[in-house]
Amino acid sequence: MGQFVNLTAADGFVFPAYVASPSGAPKGGLVVLQEIFGVNSHIRAVADGYAADGYFVVAPSTFHRVQAGVELGYTEADMGSGMALKTAVEALPAPGVLADIQAAVNHAAQGGKVGILGYCWGGLLTWRAACMLNGLTAAAPFYGGGMTTEAEAAREPKVPVMAHFAEQDHWIPLDGVQAFQEKHPAVTVHLYPAHHGFNCDQRGSWDAPSAKLARERTLAFFAQHLG
């Protein structure tokens, strides 16, 4: 359903994004942010799925500033590679990859009001985007690794946020989620009886009921805010 196109950030950096279009007039635009595994077959399937639900979807390659053409699986070796790439991107001078996400938001705006969602590292970037970027209307981070830390929780979102977390997530302790919720009472926080990565049907941590419920809630949230 989708295809890769080149987008250009404000600093002139050119990077690829997977773009999936709905069959009819779009209900809005969505930016989908990858995990640490690149814009792989799973992220493309997620983008295609939201396009099938009527959205114009843009999934930028958030690794491209440090390495082109990243498409990893979910083995231990892939995890190590992805963590190293994430570390390299996080070490970029500000605004770093946020400039690319802003370009993706701008591109998605041809579909109407723009929402953003992301998974794992993409969930953290979704939270940062909700707090720091322009042109967004709503944000839905999924198990955003790091977003419950004191430094990230100190940020203030500029748009409505619905955050999805897993009760058995060994990367994101529940006490951190609870502290985040207390700090941000306006953020809708949902907890699922699952592990980190429960949305991804290519991972052992996939939990179909939790993934289905989180997606239904996210679609309702975007329908409410994107109109």
Side-chain angles (χ1 to χ4, degrees):
M1 184 183 294
Q3 62 183 350
F4 279 94
V5 303
N6 283 332
L7 301 181
T8 305
D11 63 355
F13 182 73
V14 177
F15 63 96
Y18 182 77
V19 176
S21 301
S23 57
K27 299 175 181 177
L30 287 183
V31 173
V32 172
L33 297 181
Q34 62 170 72
E35 303 167 296
I36 59 167
F37 308 103
V39 183
N40 62 7
S41 60
H42 171 63
I43 293 299
R44 297 196 300 272
V46 168
D48 289 342
Y50 281 104
D53 286 308
Y55 292 95
F56 180 75
V57 186
V58 182
S61 173
T62 48
F63 278 159
H64 199 71
R65 283 182 184 262
V66 297
Q67 186 171 318
V70 178
E71 182 167 349
L72 299 172
Y74 299 94
T75 67
E76 195 167 330
D78 289 328
M79 183 81 71
S81 298
M83 289 293 287
L85 288 164
K86 173 202 167 186
T87 299
V89 175
E90 291 281 315
L92 292 170
V97 75
L98 284 173
D100 305 339
I101 298 170
Q102 183 67 68
V105 171
N106 297 347
H107 192 70
Q110 63 189 277
K113 293 179 180 178
V114 181
I116 189 168
L117 68 156
Y119 306 88
C120 184
W121 178 51
L124 170 62
L125 294 175
T126 295
W127 170 247
R128 289 179 183 163
C131 299
M132 301 168 70
L133 299 188
N134 299 314
L136 289 168
T137 302
F142 282 65
Y143 34 86
M147 66 178 278
T148 61
T149 62
E150 191 173 344
E152 294 294 341
R155 304 184 193 274
E156 290 294 333
K158 301 194 284 186
V159 298
V161 175
M162 173 183 284
H164 305 283
F165 293 103
E167 292 174 352
Q168 300 158 51
D169 193 330
H170 63 280
W171 297 102
I172 307 173
L174 273 180
D175 58 353
V177 175
Q178 290 159 357
F180 177 88
Q181 196 165 15
E182 290 167 9
K183 169 91 173 149
H184 296 284
V187 172
T188 301
V189 173
H190 293 298
L191 279 169
Y192 300 85
H195 295 274
H196 189 86
F198 69 79
N199 181 74
C200 179
D201 60 4
Q202 296 184 25
R203 299 176 74 169
S205 55
W206 180 49
D207 185 90
S210 296
K212 181 174 183 289
L213 179 57
R215 191 176 188 280
E216 288 169 351
R217 285 170 167 166
T218 300
L219 282 168
F221 177 69
F222 286 141
Q224 175 188 353
H225 292 288
L226 305 187

